[in-house]
Amino acid sequence: MSIVKHRKMVHHYQPSPAEEARARGREAGYSGGYEEGYLKGRADYIVKSHTESFPFRQLHVLYVASGKGFPYSPMDEAISTTLRGLVAQVTVIEPGQPVCEIAYQLMPDLVLVLDGMFVQNEQLDDIRRQGIKTAVWLTDDPYYTDMTTENVNHYDYVFTLESNCIPYYQQLGCKQVYHLPFAAFPDFYKPVRTPSPQRRDVSFIGSAYWNRIEFLSPIMDRLMQYNTLINGIWWDRLPNFAAYRDRIEVNKWMGPQETSDAYNASKIVINLHRSHEDDSVNNNAVKIPAASPNPRTFEISACATLQLTDSRSDLAKLYTPGKEIETYNSPEELLDKIQYYLHHEQERREIALNALDRTLREHTYGHRLNQLLSIVFP
C-alpha cells in the first residue's frame, strides 16, 4: 500500500511596480513624518528650556528709530520691545521728530539711535552738551561707510555689526567703538510646532545682488531640480529666469512672519552674503571688506532649520561650522552639501537643533542689548 502525499500549491503574490512605488511612498511618508515630528518636538523642548534672564536697570532710554520703514521697521520693533524688558522706561520716537527738544524735556539716561541716517548731527551735539549719553547702532556696515563716516563722531558710543569697521572708525577719532552684531528676535523667528503645509527642500530669501546672480547662475538648473523656492527682489536678472519663474516669487519684500514660515517649511536654507565691492548699490569707497555675518544668519538658526552659508571670518566666533551651521566656498560645494544633507536626515536635524540652542543661548536681541547697556553703564 502506498501513501501519496498531496502538497498544497502556494502562490506568492507579486505586487505590481505601481503598488511597490506606492508602498515606498507610504514608507517614506511615515519616515519623513516621524523625522519632522521628532525635529519639532526637540525644538519645542529647546525653546522651553531657555529662559532669558538679564539685569534690570533703572534707566530711561530714548530710542530713535531708523525712520526707514520696511525692512528696518522689524528691527526697530525687536529692539524697542526687548529694551522694555531691560530698563525702567523706553520712549520711542522717529528721527523726523525734534529729537533734541524731546531729549531736553525728558532728560533720558541714554539716547540710542538705530542707523542714524536721518538724525541731524547738530542735534546730537546739543544733546551731548546737556550731559546725556548718546549711542548709535549702525545697521549696514560696511556697505554705506561713505555716509556713516559723516555721523559717527557725533556719538559717545558707536556700535557696528561689522568688526572690520572698528579700526576704520577709530582712525576717524571715535574713542568708544564696539562690535555688536544683530541677532534673532524670538517673537518673530522661532520653530513652529505643526508641520508646514508647504514643504520646501531648499529656500533662498533675499535680494538678487549681482554677486548672487553670478554665483548661482551656473548651478541654477541643478539647484531647481530639488524642490527649491526663491523669494526676493531683482531675481528677473537671472539669465534663464523664465525657466524658473514658477518657483521664484520676484519683487516682493517678505515680512518676519512670512519669512519665518518659509524657514520653518524648508529642510535647507541658503544664506549668501552680498558683496562689499558692488558699486551699483554700495557706498563703500574705501572698500572695507565684510567679515561679520548678516542678520539672516541668526534668524534662520532661530527657526531650527539647517543653514548653508558662505564663509565669513567672524562666523566661527558665533557658530561652530559642521556642528551648528554648515558652510560652502563654491557653487559646486553648495550643491554637494545640499544633496548630502537631503539624504542624511539625522545629521541635518542635529545641526539645525544645535543652531537653535546656540542662538537662544547667545544670539538674541536680549543678549545684544544687555551687552550694549553694560558698556554704556558699566
Side-chain angles (χ1 to χ4, degrees):
M1 180 177 178
S2 63
I3 298 175
V4 179
K5 294 182 178 179
H6 296 281
R7 294 182 179 178
K8 186 177 181 181
M9 298 297 293
V10 178
H11 296 280
H12 295 280
Y13 174 71
Q14 294 293 327
S16 69
E19 290 172 322
E20 288 181 341
R22 283 196 292 272
R24 288 195 299 270
R26 280 195 301 272
E27 184 178 350
Y30 292 143
S31 176
Y34 169 80
E35 296 288 358
E36 184 173 7
Y38 184 82
L39 172 66
K40 300 296 185 186
R42 285 273 306 279
D44 191 46
Y45 174 79
I46 291 171
V47 170
K48 290 179 178 177
S49 67
H50 284 278
T51 53
E52 293 182 340
S53 179
F54 300 108
F56 186 82
R57 297 169 170 87
Q58 291 297 327
L59 299 172
H60 179 190
V61 176
L62 176 61
Y63 177 70
V64 185
S66 65
K68 287 185 170 182
F70 194 82
Y72 294 84
S73 49
M75 297 182 193
D76 286 316
E77 184 176 348
I79 293 170
S80 59
T81 301
T82 304
L83 274 173
R84 289 188 176 96
L86 298 176
V87 299
Q89 185 178 352
V90 178
T91 303
V92 180
I93 64 173
E94 296 292 324
Q97 295 178 251
V99 178
C100 183
E101 182 179 329
I102 294 172
Y104 284 172
Q105 292 173 354
L106 300 178
M107 290 303 293
D109 300 286
L110 172 67
V111 174
L112 174 60
V113 180
L114 185 69
D115 184 66
M117 289 295 182
F118 301 142
V119 179
Q120 295 180 359
N121 292 330
E122 295 78 8
Q123 293 195 53
L124 293 164
D125 295 339
D126 288 343
I127 291 170
R128 293 172 71 186
R129 280 193 285 268
Q130 292 295 316
I132 301 171
K133 295 182 178 183
T134 60
V136 63
W137 195 355
L138 299 172
T139 60
D140 290 301
D141 282 341
Y143 309 111
Y144 300 116
T145 47
D146 297 354
M147 292 179 281
T148 56
T149 295
E150 302 174 4
N151 302 334
V152 288
N153 271 308
H154 297 272
Y155 293 91
D156 297 308
Y157 299 86
V158 176
F159 296 91
T160 172
L161 77 167
E162 175 51 60
S163 62
N164 278 345
C165 283
I166 293 175
Y168 176 71
Y169 292 141
Q170 289 173 335
Q171 290 171 8
L172 294 176
C174 300
K175 296 179 180 179
Q176 302 273 6
V177 188
Y178 302 91
H179 183 216
L180 194 70
F182 279 125
F185 185 46
D187 286 10
F188 290 159
Y189 296 96
K190 57 189 173 185
V192 297
R193 298 181 183 180
T194 56
S196 171
Q198 297 180 331
R199 294 295 293 163
R200 307 175 176 201
D201 286 338
V202 183
S203 284
F204 186 96
I205 298 174
S207 302
Y209 295 111
W210 285 115
N211 71 297
R212 292 172 175 172
I213 294 292
E214 181 181 356
F215 188 94
L216 293 174
S217 290
I219 61 170
M220 280 300 294
D221 287 339
R222 287 174 287 166
L223 181 62
M224 286 301 189
Q225 289 176 8
Y226 303 103
N227 179 21
T228 301
L229 277 79
I230 296 175
N231 307 83
I233 62 174
W234 304 331
W235 284 101
D236 46 2
R237 291 174 171 179
L238 280 167
N240 199 19
F241 169 72
Y244 324 117
R245 66 185 313 151
D246 61 322
R247 285 181 289 157
I248 299 178
E249 189 175 26
V250 72
N251 294 334
K252 177 185 177 182
W253 286 104
M254 292 174 63
Q257 183 61 60
E258 198 173 0
T259 303
S260 179
D261 289 344
Y263 292 160
N264 273 280
S266 306
K267 293 183 177 180
I268 296 171
V269 176
I270 299 171
N271 188 3
L272 177 57
H273 290 82
R274 61 190 285 187
S275 170
H276 68 278
E277 296 181 307
D278 186 350
D279 291 334
S280 68
V281 290
N282 295 342
N283 290 275
N284 182 17
V286 292
K287 295 293 186 290
I288 298 173
S292 301
N294 58 18
R296 292 192 188 278
T297 306
F298 309 104
E299 294 163 357
I300 297 167
S301 297
C303 294
T305 300
L306 175 65
Q307 177 175 178
L308 296 182
T309 182
D310 55 327
S311 297
R312 281 194 166 179
S313 55
D314 280 350
L315 183 66
K317 302 174 186 176
L318 303 164
Y319 293 99
T320 303
K323 180 182 178 183
E324 298 163 334
I325 202 167
E326 191 54 272
T327 62
Y328 58 87
N329 292 293
S330 70
E332 293 299 328
E333 186 179 13
L334 171 61
L335 276 180
D336 288 344
K337 290 194 173 181
I338 287 173
Q339 182 178 23
Y340 179 84
Y341 283 108
L342 288 178
H343 290 89
H344 291 78
E345 172 66 30
Q346 186 173 351
E347 292 179 49
R348 177 180 70 83
R349 183 184 67 214
E350 290 305 311
I351 293 175
L353 291 170
N354 290 339
L356 171 65
D357 185 61
R358 181 75 179 269
T359 302
L360 295 180
R361 276 190 288 116
E362 299 180 14
H363 303 312
T364 68
Y365 276 94
H367 295 97
R368 300 292 189 257
L369 288 166
N370 179 60
Q371 181 182 348
L372 183 152
L373 293 171
S374 297
I375 291 170
V376 178
F377 303 97

